[in-house]
Amino acid sequence: MAEQRKKVVLAYSGGLDTSVAIKWIPEKYNMDVVTVTIDLGAVKDLDAIREKALKTGAKKAIVIDAKDTFVKYFIFPALQSGALYEGVYPLATALGRPLIAKLLADVAHEEKADAVAHGCTGKGNDQVRLDVSLQVLNPKLQIIAPVREWKMTRDEEIRYAEEHNIPVEAKIKSPYSTDENLWGRSIECGILEDPWAEPPEEVYKWTKNAKEAPDAPEYLEIQFERGIPVAINDEEMDGVTLINTLNARGGKHGVGRIDHLENRLVGIKSREIYEAPAAVILHAAHKALEGMIMTKDALRFKDIVSAHYADLIYNGLWFSAFHQDLVAYVLSSQRIITGTIRVRLSKGTCTVVGRKSPLSLYSEKLATYQKEDTFDHSAALGFIKIYGLPVKIQAQKQMDVLAGREALHLDSIMPPKVKSIGKTEAEKKR
């Protein structure tokens, strides 16, 4: 009786790399391949991809619609946290990887597989995100990364595909490498590798050039409950529909283009172009709502948490105890983030133009300079005396010791005395 072959679960996109991997893995590792195609909002024809996997040699082809899971457990928590890598990147690709790893591990368990495989190269961030996540989820699984191992050029891959009767839809490689899901689209390579070169219009698919966008602006009112968007213009929507709606409306006005020279986890700087209309709109609205509801100290601390949260996602540490700790704070902070933000979309910009919340800390009666003002102006003098007391005492007690301009570098913080220009009024009368 022949010994049963081991199984490997391959994350399959239908593209050249993973199609070649279906043939290459059995040759190299003597394993049967089970493919898993995961729809995070970008897969156009799941049935066609499944059929291609089976025709190419997969023993089984599994298709998973994970859009709702992606939004609920990955996108919206990242939005609540304010996670923007280096202040600009909404982390679309990075957020998809831990979910892909989780689904690969789940299928490997169900199929009693010994290994999982993915199509990442040895140069990018995704290999780290997937490998680290899989090591946490099931450290017993062998991880195979054919593209990282085989060192074939693109032309060699195409020849291999032709020799093994693997359908190759494009003979000439696009100069760009792209990845997309519900939360955004990333583009790199080609002319984009020159940081001085302006991105050509051909790289953009979701967003109009601002010059071609409608002249009339569009206004949207986005409602949040506990930091999660739930409706647009009073129309309640599920997360997937809401994000798709904002991608379409924002893209029509040229909103969501990001040109970022970022620091990759593997130690190099990389020029990345992103399209993320919904993410740009929702992050702007969410931050504006927090600004209305949270105290100053809470906002300052939330900025620190947001930076750590973004780094954690980017660096592939979603499944970590540190993430659990940050989640506890974020969820606590978001209990009060309920309200509505009005944004204006126009010629490539998203501008917050209105805010309201039943939990707002803003008081018009305290802020106004009109007769309705209820601020106690008489309290200001005492407040200033107490607030300025520490520096006043320091000046009285220590300035003799600290008086040396050179030692204090005072020239850098204290300008010289200003000389008057022309004659004073008193001099003119003489």
Side-chain angles (χ1 to χ4, degrees), residues 14-58:
L16 177 63
D17 290 340
T18 50
S19 294
V20 168
I22 292 176
K23 289 288 188 182
W24 184 84
I25 291 174
E27 290 182 357
K28 177 74 173 180
Y29 289 94
N30 194 32
M31 288 181 173
D32 289 332
V33 176
V34 175
T35 63
V36 177
T37 301
I38 301 166
D39 182 12
L40 299 183
V43 181
K44 304 304 180 187
D45 193 339
L46 291 167
D47 290 336
I49 291 175
R50 182 178 181 277
E51 287 302 314
K52 182 177 179 179
L54 293 172
K55 288 180 180 178
T56 304

Side-chain angles (χ1 to χ4, degrees), residues 71-379:
V71 171
K72 182 177 180 180
Y73 294 101
F74 294 84
I75 292 177
F76 281 169
L79 175 64
Q80 288 177 301
S81 76
L84 293 169
Y85 183 64
E86 297 184 332
V88 294
Y89 171 35
L91 296 158
T93 298
L95 277 169
R97 297 317 185 228
L99 177 53
I100 291 171
K102 173 67 166 59
L103 295 174
L104 283 175
D106 288 348
V107 172
H109 176 74
E110 293 168 4
E111 295 292 324
K112 296 181 174 56
D114 302 278
V116 292
H118 57 72
C120 299
T121 70
K123 194 174 184 179
N125 296 310
D126 284 339
Q127 58 175 335
V128 181
R129 295 165 183 156
L130 288 171
D131 285 15
V132 170
S133 295
L134 287 164
Q135 288 168 10
V136 173
L137 295 167
N138 188 345
K140 294 181 180 179
L141 286 172
Q142 179 183 357
I143 300 173
I144 300 171
V147 180
R148 190 168 61 193
E149 296 176 29
W150 65 36
K151 297 180 176 62
M152 280 193 274
T153 65
R154 181 78 172 184
D155 290 342
E156 288 171 340
E157 278 189 76
I158 291 173
R159 284 198 297 272
Y160 182 97
E162 291 172 344
E163 290 169 3
H164 291 80
N165 297 317
I166 301 171
V168 179
E169 296 173 2
K171 303 292 183 181
I172 301 174
K173 181 186 177 184
S174 165
Y176 308 112
S177 174
T178 63
D179 185 89
E180 65 181 68
N181 59 44
L182 269 174
W183 200 227
R185 180 171 178 268
S186 64
I187 313 102
E188 61 182 11
C189 301
I191 188 63
L192 303 177
E193 292 176 353
D194 178 0
W196 184 251
E198 181 178 358
E201 201 60 30
E202 65 184 4
V203 307
Y204 299 107
K205 304 299 181 186
W206 289 10
T207 56
K208 278 191 175 182
N209 188 309
K211 295 178 181 178
E212 300 172 0
D215 291 330
E218 181 174 359
Y219 291 83
L220 300 176
E221 293 183 5
I222 304 170
Q223 288 116 304
F224 290 83
E225 291 180 6
R226 291 177 171 253
I228 293 175
V230 295
I232 299 173
N233 295 341
D234 292 323
E235 182 182 350
E236 292 187 4
M237 301 178 184
D238 65 85
V240 174
T241 302
L242 187 143
I243 290 171
N244 280 331
T245 298
L246 290 178
N247 276 332
R249 294 193 182 185
K252 181 179 72 173
H253 291 275
V255 172
R257 293 186 175 188
I258 300 167
D259 186 343
H260 184 212
L261 190 68
E262 72 188 36
N263 293 290
R264 279 192 179 180
L265 176 59
V266 294
I268 62 175
K269 290 186 182 291
S270 175
R271 203 274 191 88
E272 306 284 341
I273 303 299
Y274 299 109
E275 288 184 286
V280 167
I281 294 168
L282 287 173
H283 270 288
H286 180 262
K287 190 170 184 63
L289 188 59
E290 286 186 327
M292 190 178 212
I293 296 172
M294 297 173 73
T295 64
K296 182 177 75 171
D297 289 339
L299 286 167
R300 301 296 189 273
F301 187 72
K302 178 72 187 308
D303 284 342
I304 297 171
V305 172
S306 297
H308 280 290
Y309 209 110
D311 284 349
L312 177 149
I313 295 170
Y314 190 86
N315 295 339
L317 299 175
W318 184 270
F319 299 106
S320 66
F322 183 43
H323 186 194
Q324 294 176 2
D325 297 337
L326 292 185
V327 165
Y329 168 78
V330 170
L331 290 178
S332 177
S333 74
Q334 297 301 294
R335 290 176 297 172
I336 55 174
I337 308 304
T338 294
T340 302
I341 296 295
R342 186 168 68 247
V343 298
R344 183 183 68 236
L345 309 180
S346 178
K347 298 293 184 181
T349 65
C350 170
T351 306
V352 172
V353 295
R355 310 157 177 84
K356 64 179 179 180
S357 169
L359 302 174
S360 171
L361 297 181
Y362 176 82
S363 169
E364 188 173 353
K365 289 183 178 180
L366 288 173
T368 185
Y369 285 90
Q370 305 303 320
K371 62 181 180 179
E372 295 85 4
D373 184 6
T374 60
F375 185 83
D376 185 357
H377 292 257
S378 64

Side-chain angles (χ1 to χ4, degrees), residues 401-410:
V401 178
L402 303 176
R405 294 183 66 87
E406 187 175 332
L408 274 178
H409 305 287
L410 287 181

